[in-house]
Amino acid sequence: MRRKSWAQFFALCVSIFVAGWDSGTVGPLLPRLQEVYHASVGYAVVSLIFIVNCIGFFVGASSFLYLTDRFGFGRVTSFFAAVGYAIQAAGVPFPAFVVSFLFSGFGIAFLDAGSNSYLAGLSEDTSFKMGVMHAIFGVGAMCAPLVSTQFAKLDTWHYVYLVHLGLIAFNALTQALVFRFRTAEECLREVGQEPHAKTKASEEGVGKYRQVFRLRAVHLMAFFIFTYVGVEVAIGGDWWIVTYIINERGGGGSSGYISSGFWGGLTLGRVLLIWVNDKVGEWRVIFLYVALAFGLELVVWLVPHLISAAVCVSFVGFFLGPIFPIVMNHSGRVLPPELISGGIGYISSFGSAGAAAFPFVTGAIASGTNIGSLQPLLIAMMALMFAIWVFVPRTREQLR
């Protein structure tokens, strides 16, 4: 059972790595996309990628509970993500390239939701495993810009998505071998854990949705994660920070590596700060991390210096990094046991939508002003995160 448990954890880490790789790819490609598709693709037009991706995430978030119960782990994810990546790898015209993100967004939403909900649903203390798994996300997101920055210099820039196809195929193989497309309850029994007792309503798909959506805490944490992931991706992760560094701080063609610095900081933070989380308390420490990231982002905005901006971006990633796994762990402790899988699946996949929605907003604003508007928007989003977390329950007793 122990070997099977670690095999399952490995499979979840593979899924999260692929999700991180997906998040870290597009940013360094943005200047190349505008060059390849010419002047018709300005900030607002290229932002259509993000809004279509957001739609894919929302559809994935809405259908995760039903489709996972019906088809098991991995099957839906691998098919739709592979379709999206195949279209992108073909170097198709811009409209088809945009539509492809509907499929890849849908698939990545399932990767995020499935991995987080399954791990949080285990009866053991998952704080360490959650931190490690999301550090793996950071590794994927850190490595992707290194690769896509190189492909961005080539005429065949779109071949970078062949790497994505290889990764999603490996993910499908891993999930097939480990989970064999069974339900979460069957997989839990394999490692010696009996699933939580279900109420009559939660055994029915519609009843399960109704119970999850009735909980105010679910919506608070979903909105918090929606905002957090938007901040994470829009800051130093990949989408617009590369363009910001080039246009506002005089960075060169290698500015895409700054996004790797962000993800490197995020990866280290998710592992090295685990002891701080335990010492301070996971609910309270989020306020500390948001405040520190807020201050560092002010430096990026107000100090016109390339090196200091690059360093601060890395430290922003370091302090923001632990927040996502902390929220997943906190959700597992606060939500009713029989609704953990559905609730966390909704929260995490809703967060994935933030990764697409906020870059679209940033691009739309930049088209009317300039890319310098990125920083005040990020500052406002961090303040919103701080305010939302105040209302999140600390314990299960405070849930209602």
Side-chain angles (χ1 to χ4, degrees):
M1 287 184 181
R2 178 170 300 210
R3 287 197 299 270
K4 290 179 179 178
S5 177
W6 281 105
Q8 289 182 359
F9 180 63
F10 173 78
L12 298 178
C13 287
V14 170
S15 294
I16 283 295
F17 178 86
V18 176
W21 186 280
D22 180 87
S23 293
T25 299
V26 176
L29 291 178
L30 283 177
R32 181 64 169 157
L33 290 175
Q34 291 178 304
E35 177 184 344
V36 169
Y37 293 114
H38 308 298
S40 61
V41 183
Y43 287 138
V45 178
V46 80
S47 294
L48 290 173
I49 291 174
F50 310 133
I51 198 63
V52 171
N53 208 29
C54 181
I55 294 172
F57 281 127
F58 271 120
V59 175
S62 302
S63 57
F64 170 77
L65 290 175
Y66 173 76
L67 292 179
T68 300
D69 285 346
R70 184 174 177 84
F71 296 108
F73 283 117
R75 190 173 298 163
V76 175
T77 296
S78 302
F79 174 76
F80 280 93
V83 169
Y85 293 149
I87 295 173
Q88 292 157 12
V92 293
F94 187 71
F97 186 75
V98 171
V99 171
S100 69
F101 282 84
L102 181 67
F103 296 95
S104 59
F106 186 94
I108 296 302
F110 271 69
L111 289 178
D112 267 342
S115 300
N116 284 292
S117 61
Y118 187 84
L119 187 57
L122 294 174
S123 58
E124 63 184 275
D125 182 9
T126 59
S127 297
F128 177 76
K129 283 187 176 180
M130 191 70 77
V132 171
M133 186 177 75
H134 284 282
I136 298 297
F137 177 95
V139 172
M142 177 180 63
C143 294
L146 301 177
V147 175
S148 60
T149 297
Q150 295 302 315
F151 273 94
K153 302 174 183 178
L154 305 176
D155 292 336
T156 54
W157 58 271
H158 47 89
Y159 283 2
V160 69
Y161 290 102
L162 294 176
V163 181
H164 291 62
L165 278 171
L167 289 173
I168 201 66
F170 179 67
N171 176 75
L173 177 63
T174 304
Q175 300 248 332
L177 292 174
V178 175
F179 295 113
R180 299 196 291 277
F181 305 125
R182 294 169 299 173
T183 64
E185 288 78 8
E186 292 170 328
C187 295
L188 286 172
R189 289 192 184 97
E190 188 179 44
V191 295
Q193 177 176 321
E194 284 300 318
H196 299 294
K198 297 181 179 181
T199 64
K200 182 178 180 180
S202 65
E203 290 177 351
E204 303 171 0
V206 176
K208 185 185 295 184
Y209 276 102
R210 187 180 298 116
Q211 285 190 313
V212 169
F213 293 150
R214 280 177 179 172
L215 296 174
R216 183 174 63 95
V218 168
H219 298 292
L220 284 171
M221 287 186 281
F223 191 36
F224 178 88
I225 286 295
F226 179 83
T227 308
Y228 163 79
V229 177
V231 170
E232 178 187 273
V233 173
I235 292 181
D238 48 298
W239 302 104
W240 289 112
I241 193 66
V242 176
T243 305
Y244 176 85
I245 291 296
I246 292 174
N247 292 357
E248 300 294 321
R249 295 293 180 261
S254 297
S255 295
Y257 295 123
I258 291 178
S259 62
S260 288
F262 172 85
W263 290 115
L266 179 140
T267 301
L268 290 175
R270 287 179 171 174
V271 176
L272 298 181
L273 293 177
I274 290 177
W275 70 273
V276 179
N277 306 340
D278 295 336
K279 189 76 173 177
V280 178
E282 289 189 331
W283 187 84
R284 290 189 297 272
V285 80
I286 283 186
F287 293 109
L288 173 63
Y289 292 152
V290 173
L292 289 170
F294 184 94
L296 289 165
E297 197 61 34
L298 281 175
V299 175
V300 176
W301 180 22
L302 300 176
V303 178
H305 190 266
L306 177 61
I307 301 301
S308 66
V311 172
C312 286
V313 162
S314 296
F315 275 100
V316 168
F318 183 77
F319 290 115
L320 284 180
I323 292 179
F324 194 100
I326 286 175
V327 175
M328 294 300 104
N329 275 327
H330 188 71
S331 302
R333 287 192 295 268
V334 169
L335 298 179
E338 72 275 9
L339 298 180
I340 287 177
S341 177
I344 291 181
Y346 173 74
I347 291 168
S348 60
S349 53
F350 198 81
S352 300
F358 278 107
F360 171 77
V361 172
T362 303
I365 294 175
S367 67
T369 54
N370 57 61
I371 196 62
S373 61
L374 173 65
Q375 297 305 323
L377 176 63
L378 292 172
I379 294 296
M381 290 162 64
M382 288 183 182
L384 179 61
M385 286 170 54
F386 197 97
I388 295 172
W389 194 250
V390 172
F391 298 98
V392 174
R394 298 190 189 190
T395 64
R396 189 169 289 164
E397 289 70 25
Q398 297 175 338
L399 188 61
R400 296 186 181 278

